[in-house]
């Protein structure tokens, strides 16, 4: 299979996994807080990828001469950004619905090319800009902006989008000198897990019994959204530059709205359907 096509398939599957995960994230806070949920998902994501790392990449990394200090610094940065972005996203689900959080999260589609172009002087193909505009308009149509508490949740979603934009760009840069996707995905899950423990201890009082009550959602999100999806995201960025990859990843907002409608019964009216089509048009 052509490398670009492989990366494109990885990006689409990633967006499906991320979109479906929003429903599990929303349902997974019935008995625990957002930070406890994130600690669980990152730990499960790390444990999911660990066997693949030990079997496929550990020996290769030992044979390859790498700048350990540089690699370590980037992996710590990736994990920290992942932890902050996920915390903002998870908390936003307490104030707004799944569709809104999914849509405003994918506003990174607008942020990534701006950072790439204006800060890193990367050339952006002309087709990216109208696609971004279509994504943004589609996102606005998918959102509900009348309720104050909803707007607060939307604001947290937008802040998380800045984290995801930086995260995408940093992964793309990390691959250039450390092209080991499993190691990258696994390490960032572990670092995010460590960073998330502190706010869990400070702001929440989790119990093992309550964690077990939300265990199905934690396992689903941990295995598929944190483990598999972040691995596929890394494979995507091996061959696609951040700006077009972000546009394909923005499909997660569409899938979040669809899954929220199918599973949670959250409203999906004609205006929101038009927003979905605009985002699909942008990706195509």
């Amino acid at each position: 299979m052509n490398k670009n096509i492989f990366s494109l398939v990885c990006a689409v599957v990633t967006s499906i996994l991320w979109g479906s995960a929003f429903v599990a994230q929303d349902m997974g806070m019935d008995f625990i807080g957002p930070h406890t949920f994130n600690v669980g998902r990152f730990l499960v994501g790390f444990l999911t990828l660990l066997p693949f790392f030990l079997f496929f990449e550990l020996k290769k990394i030992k044979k390859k001469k790498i700048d350990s200090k540089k690699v370590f610094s980037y992996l710590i940065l990736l994990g920290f950004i992942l932890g902050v972005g996920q915390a903002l996203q998870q908390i936003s689900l307490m104030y707004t619905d799944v569709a809104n959080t999914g849509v405003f999260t994918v506003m990174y589609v607008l942020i990534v090319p701006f950072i790439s172009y204006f800060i890193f002087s990367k050339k952006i193909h002309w087709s990216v800009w109208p696609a971004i505009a279509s994504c943004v308009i589609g996102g606005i149509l998918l959102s509900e902006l009348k309720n104050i508490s909803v707007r607060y949740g939307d604001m947290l979603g937008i802040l998380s989008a800045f984290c995801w934009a930086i995260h995408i760009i940093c992964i793309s840069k990390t691959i250039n000198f450390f092209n080991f996707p499993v190691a990258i995905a696994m390490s960032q899950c572990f670092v995010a897990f460590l960073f998330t423990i502190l706010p869990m201890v400070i702001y929440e009082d989790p119990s093992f019994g309550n964690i077990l009550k939300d265990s199905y959602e934690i396992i689903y999100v941990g295995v598929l959204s944190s483990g598999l999806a972040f691995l596929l995201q890394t494979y995507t960025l091996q061959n696609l530059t951040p700006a077009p990859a972000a546009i394909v990843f923005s499909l997660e907002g569409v899938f979040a709205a669809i899954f929220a409608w199918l599973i949670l019964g959250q409203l999906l009216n004609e205006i929101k359907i038009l927003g979905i089509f605009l985002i699909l048009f942008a990706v195509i």
Side-chain angles (χ1 to χ4, degrees):
M1 182 184 292
N2 179 277
K3 289 183 177 179
N4 287 339
I5 294 176
F6 173 73
S7 290
L8 182 61
V9 171
C10 287
V12 173
V13 175
T14 299
S15 68
I16 295 172
L17 294 175
W18 282 345
S20 67
F22 280 106
V23 174
Q25 288 175 239
D26 187 53
M27 296 171 65
M29 292 189 292
D30 291 337
F31 301 98
I32 58 177
H35 300 299
T36 302
F37 184 87
N38 284 337
V39 167
R41 72 174 291 174
F42 288 134
L43 178 59
V44 172
F46 165 72
L47 294 175
T48 300
L49 294 170
L50 182 59
F52 296 95
F53 167 73
L54 295 175
F55 188 78
F56 291 108
E57 290 189 351
L58 181 59
K59 291 182 179 179
K60 295 180 181 179
I61 293 174
K62 287 181 177 179
K63 293 178 181 179
K64 188 177 179 64
K65 186 177 181 181
I66 60 175
D67 185 343
S68 300
K69 186 177 180 180
K70 184 177 182 181
V71 170
F72 183 76
S73 299
Y74 268 77
L75 293 179
I76 292 293
L77 177 62
L78 283 173
F80 175 74
I81 296 170
L82 176 62
V84 174
Q86 200 63 67
L88 291 168
Q89 183 187 91
Q90 193 68 31
I91 295 171
S92 74
L93 286 166
M94 299 171 65
Y95 297 95
T96 187
D97 60 28
V98 168
N100 278 35
T101 300
V103 167
F104 281 102
T105 293
V106 300
M107 286 299 117
Y108 57 68
V109 73
L110 177 63
I111 303 165
V112 167
F114 272 92
I115 293 176
S116 299
Y117 183 76
F118 291 105
I119 296 180
F120 296 106
S121 300
K122 295 287 185 181
K123 291 183 178 180
I124 305 296
H125 192 272
W126 67 266
S127 62
V128 170
W129 301 109
I132 290 169
S134 184
C135 275
V136 172
I137 295 171
I140 292 172
L141 294 178
L142 268 170
S143 180
E144 170 62 60
L145 298 175
K146 297 178 181 179
N147 188 295
I148 292 177
S149 64
V150 169
R151 287 204 297 270
Y152 176 68
D154 292 343
M155 181 187 69
L156 294 177
I158 293 171
L159 289 175
S160 76
F162 280 91
C163 293
W164 301 133
I166 298 170
H167 185 252
I168 289 171
I169 293 170
C170 285
I171 287 180
S172 182
K173 289 187 170 296
T174 304
I175 291 172
N176 290 333
F177 61 85
F178 186 69
N179 192 8
F180 294 97
V182 180
I184 293 173
M186 180 197 70
S187 298
Q188 66 178 358
C189 281
F190 182 68
V191 173
F193 160 72
L194 294 177
F195 275 119
T196 312
I197 291 176
L198 183 60
M200 179 189 71
V201 172
I202 294 175
Y203 297 109
E204 298 171 4
D205 186 25
S207 68
F208 186 70
N210 286 339
I211 292 173
L212 284 179
K213 291 177 181 178
D214 284 324
S215 59
Y216 290 114
E217 290 82 3
I218 292 173
I219 292 171
Y220 179 86
V221 174
V223 173
L224 296 180
S225 181
S226 293
L228 180 59
F230 283 125
L231 176 60
L232 293 176
Q233 180 195 33
T234 307
Y235 279 124
T236 297
L237 293 166
Q238 280 183 320
N239 303 299
L240 297 182
T241 55
I247 293 174
V248 183
F249 288 146
S250 71
L251 279 172
E252 70 171 295
V254 171
F255 289 115
I258 292 174
F259 282 115
W261 170 56
L262 292 175
I263 299 174
L264 301 179
Q266 294 182 359
L267 181 63
L268 195 62
N269 56 29
E270 293 83 356
I271 298 298
K272 292 188 176 183
I273 292 173
L274 175 59
I276 288 174
F277 277 107
L278 284 175
I279 295 176
L280 288 173
F281 171 75
V283 173
I284 294 170

